Amino acid sequence: MTTLNLHKACTVSSRPSQPLRITAFGDSLIYGYGDPVNGGWVEQLRRRWMASEAGHVIYNLGVRGDTASQVNQRLEQEFILRGELRNKLPDLIILSVGVNDSPRVGKRDSNKSMTDCDRFTLEIVNLLDKAQSLCPVMFVGMVPVDESRMPFHDCLHFNHEDQFRYKEITKSACHVRDIPYLDLFDLWQERGQTWINEHLSEDGIHPNPEGYHAIYQDILHWQPLIQLEQLTSIQR
C-alpha cells in the first residue's frame, strides 16, 4: 500500500530529471516552534535534501495554532503556488495537524472541545480527500503533551485521552485512504513520560530542540520516507 503511494510521487511528475517539490502543511509541529537551534524537523529534512545529490525541495507551510479546518481552507491555494516551474505542481504533501483541535476549553472536565469529534472527523476527511486529489500524501502524527503543565494559556486543557481519540480518528482515515501515517504519539508514549517531558518545551506542548531531533530521526527511520528516498535515487 505504502509503496504504491510513494511510487506515484516519483513517477507521476512530468519532470523526472528534476528534484521533487514537497509541501509540508500543518501546525506548530511543521513550523518547528520550540526549536531555536535547528528550526524543527522539517528544516532538518530540508537541509538534508539540499545537501544531497537528489536535491529535493521542501516548503514549510506550518502555521502555529492551526486546526484541521484552517489547514483545509488554505491547502489548495498555497499548494498550487509551490510548483516553481510554469504549469507544474508539487509532487507530494506532508500533513501534520490535529493537536489544536483536541483540547478542552475552559476547564479540564469541560464538555467543550476546541473542535468536537464529529466536526473534526468531517474536517480531517475533507482535508485528506482534498490533499489526495492534488498529489500523494503522507501524514506525521502529533506528539503527547505533558499534562502536568496544563492548562495552556490558562484555558486550553490538552490531555492524552483526547489526543489519543483525535489521532485515532486521523490514523483510521489515513488507513482507509492508503495514506502512510507516522504514529508519533504511540512511539513517544512507549519511551515513557519522563522521556517525553525531557523532550518538550516549558509549555508542555511543543517539542524542544532534542524533541524535534527525535522526530527527525523517527522520520528518517520511517519506512515510507526510506522508500521515497530509495525510489527517487533509483529514478535518477
Side-chain angles (χ1 to χ4, degrees):
M1 293 188 300
T2 299
T3 303
L4 176 62
N5 282 341
L6 295 176
H7 182 69
K8 288 180 181 178
C10 299
T11 59
V12 167
S13 172
S14 59
R15 37 186 169 73
S17 63
Q18 297 297 319
L20 296 178
R21 268 57 176 177
I22 299 165
T23 53
F25 285 89
D27 50 35
S28 56
L29 199 66
I30 291 286
Y31 177 78
Y33 183 76
D35 185 2
V37 179
N38 295 307
W41 69 265
V42 174
E43 174 61 15
Q44 292 176 66
L45 195 57
R46 186 189 72 83
R47 294 175 187 177
R48 170 185 172 88
W49 284 340
M50 186 167 59
S52 72
E53 181 182 354
H56 304 320
V57 176
I58 184 166
Y59 290 99
N60 188 324
L61 300 172
V63 176
R64 290 176 56 191
D66 257 11
T67 62
S69 173
Q70 290 169 314
V71 174
N72 198 8
Q73 290 171 16
R74 62 186 176 87
L75 179 77
E76 187 169 3
Q77 183 61 32
E78 294 190 17
F79 173 84
I80 64 178
L81 296 175
R82 297 313 191 285
E84 292 190 358
L85 302 176
R86 182 176 296 178
N87 298 324
K88 306 298 180 183
L89 296 174
D91 303 284
L92 179 69
I93 291 174
I94 299 175
L95 291 171
S96 183
V97 69
V99 67
N100 293 313
D101 293 277
S102 71
R104 303 291 177 103
V105 180
K107 298 180 180 180
R108 171 64 180 86
D109 58 355
S110 169
N111 290 325
K112 181 180 180 181
S113 299
M114 182 63 71
T115 308
D116 67 61
C117 279
D118 289 342
R119 181 66 186 177
F120 177 74
T121 301
L122 178 62
E123 292 291 353
I124 205 71
V125 163
N126 287 341
L127 174 61
L128 295 177
D129 286 345
K130 181 182 291 185
Q132 274 199 313
S133 74
L134 298 171
C135 71
V137 180
M138 300 163 69
F139 204 107
V140 175
M142 67 180 78
V143 300
V145 301
D146 179 355
E147 293 178 313
S148 69
R149 299 183 187 179
M150 297 302 111
F152 184 64
H153 288 329
D154 297 322
C155 65
L156 297 177
H157 293 263
F158 292 86
N159 64 88
H160 292 171
E161 182 180 355
D162 288 328
Q163 280 193 286
F164 181 82
R165 184 180 300 113
Y166 282 65
K167 77 93 173 174
E168 283 295 303
I169 291 171
T170 306
K171 187 175 181 178
S172 176
C174 286
H175 177 73
V176 169
R177 290 161 179 78
D178 201 18
I179 294 173
Y181 182 91
L182 179 59
D183 195 338
L184 290 176
F185 185 88
D186 281 2
L187 278 175
W188 280 39
Q189 288 278 53
E190 290 170 1
R191 295 164 185 165
Q193 193 60 47
T194 299
W195 186 95
I196 292 171
N197 295 349
E198 291 172 349
H199 289 75
L200 291 174
S201 300
E202 289 298 317
D203 61 22
I205 297 176
H206 301 97
N208 57 24
E210 291 76 18
Y212 277 110
H213 186 70
I215 295 172
Y216 173 62
Q217 290 298 320
D218 288 333
I219 288 171
L220 289 184
H221 291 91
W222 186 28
Q223 194 60 33
L225 189 80
I226 293 172
Q227 291 174 347
L228 175 64
E229 292 191 332
Q230 288 175 341
L231 284 171
T232 53
S233 175
I234 292 171
Q235 178 186 321
R236 291 176 67 84

